[in-house]
Amino acid sequence: MKTGLENKRNVTILVILLIILTVATVYFVRSVFVGGSNPAARPAPEASAQPGPTSGGEHAAQKLPSLAKLDPTLHPEVMAGAESLEYTGTGRNIFSMNSAPVKIEKPIGPIRPEAQKMIATGPPPPPPIDLKFFGYEAAGGAKKAFLLHNDDVFIASEGDVVDHHYKIIKINPLSIQVTDLLYNHTQTLPLSQS
């Protein structure tokens, strides 16, 4: 009967893994139960200002320091102030079903205005072409237009399709004719100054 210990290579790997596991376990146990640093070497926490009552007797909100500067000591005067606070609502007991009902004001006008009847006027107009024509070049008889769409800059000649959506029909020095291919809508864009 074979026990698996005949192969020296497998036994060596098993021994090395057991040593590594033992060292890791000892390190983990020491870091969890003993602590990683000397408590005497830790800096003393700074005294933080306690929230004092405001002019109305209420306590103001205070920004807590970081966890490294957090003071874990209890302050009985602050706890006594929190315990002395009383509920000062409208007088209605929020924990009782038999208490006085809440007064709800009646609305001045209708809650939902009546929907206006829509008059069918045909299909909606196509959206405006959102290209910006900001430059023009005519070198060697070829006209080129410089166009801006959001943050993208395009250089196009007549007949080119820009951004798979707009076809350049005619380029003039002060304007350009563009057709929106999705809506079959042509628009003249003026040369923008800025």
Side-chain angles (χ1 to χ4, degrees):
M1 182 162 112
K2 292 186 177 184
T3 60
L5 299 177
E6 291 82 17
N7 190 347
K8 289 182 180 181
R9 181 175 172 260
N10 288 347
V11 171
T12 307
I13 292 173
L14 178 65
V15 170
I16 291 173
L17 288 175
L18 285 174
I19 292 171
I20 291 173
L21 179 65
T22 305
V23 170
T25 305
V26 169
Y27 178 75
F28 175 73
V29 168
R30 285 190 67 201
S31 65
V32 170
F33 293 109
V34 177
S37 64
N38 186 3
R42 293 184 188 158
E46 297 177 8
S48 60
Q50 298 300 320
T54 59
S55 59
E58 300 171 357
H59 288 275
Q62 174 188 5
K63 182 178 179 184
L64 292 176
S66 66
L67 292 178
K69 298 179 181 179
L70 190 61
D71 184 13
T73 58
L74 295 176
H75 298 281
E77 65 277 358
V78 176
M79 294 186 332
E83 289 176 0
S84 66
L85 292 177
E86 293 184 19
Y87 175 70
T88 56
T90 60
R92 177 178 175 262
N93 184 358
I94 60 174
F95 300 107
S96 173
M97 293 290 286
N98 300 328
S99 64
V102 178
K103 282 183 138 182
I104 299 175
E105 297 179 12
K106 292 185 179 181
I108 298 172
I111 296 174
R112 292 184 181 157
E114 294 181 19
Q116 297 177 354
K117 294 181 180 178
M118 299 290 286
I119 300 173
T121 59
I129 296 175
D130 58 346
L131 287 176
K132 188 174 184 181
F133 175 48
F134 70 92
Y136 165 79
E137 178 188 46
K143 298 177 186 177
K144 292 185 180 178
F146 300 98
L147 304 167
L148 183 67
H149 184 253
N150 296 333
D151 291 335
D152 299 325
V153 176
F154 297 97
I155 301 172
S157 301
E158 290 180 355
D160 289 350
V161 176
V162 174
D163 202 21
H164 308 289
H165 194 125
Y166 307 106
K167 184 173 182 180
I168 309 301
I169 303 298
K170 181 81 174 153
I171 299 174
N172 295 319
L174 299 177
S175 66
I176 184 172
Q177 285 184 354
V178 180
T179 299
D180 188 342
L181 297 176
L182 294 179
Y183 295 98
N184 197 19
H185 165 67
T186 303
Q187 183 176 342
T188 300
L189 303 175
L191 178 67
S192 63
Q193 300 298 324
S194 56

